[in-house]
């Protein structure tokens, strides 16, 4: 087998990671995690300089306490 060299197009990858399609995919995953975590959690889109991401956070006192005691968000991600 011969050696294969692959050269990535950095500008194209950055453009893809900031696209609306990736934002939708991140949002879908974030919503699924929020739904598995239960009440008191919210999602939000984050736009970083190099990519787009989604965050799930505990907003109510009950959810924050539950997350600290039971690692609810980690368990929701590893479903």
């Amino acid at each position: 087998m011969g050696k294969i060299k692959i050269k990535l197009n950095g500008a194209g990858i950055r453009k893809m990671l900031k696209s609306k399609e990736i934002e939708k995919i991140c949002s879908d995953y974030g919503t699924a995690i929020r739904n598995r975590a239960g009440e008191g959690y919210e999602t939000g889109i984050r736009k970083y300089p190099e990519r787009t991401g989604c965050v799930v956070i505990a907003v109510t006192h009950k959810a924050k306490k539950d997350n600290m005691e039971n690692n609810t968000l980690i368990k929701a991600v590893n479903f």
Side-chain angles (χ1 to χ4, degrees), residues 18-72:
K18 292 181 180 183
S19 70
K20 291 288 184 189
E21 291 84 4
I22 294 294
E23 185 177 323
K24 169 110 173 65
I25 291 168
C26 288
S27 178
D28 291 345
Y29 277 109
T31 302
I33 291 167
R34 182 193 68 207
N35 291 341
R36 285 194 296 268
E39 294 291 321
Y41 295 89
E42 288 184 1
T43 59
I45 295 294
R46 298 287 193 252
K47 299 213 180 225
Y48 303 107
E50 63 279 344
R51 67 187 182 283
T52 298
C54 183
V55 63
V56 180
I57 57 173
V59 291
T60 64
H61 179 70
K62 182 179 176 184
K64 288 176 185 178
K65 183 178 178 189
D66 180 50
N67 189 46
M68 285 192 301
E69 292 175 354
N70 302 313
N71 294 318
T72 306

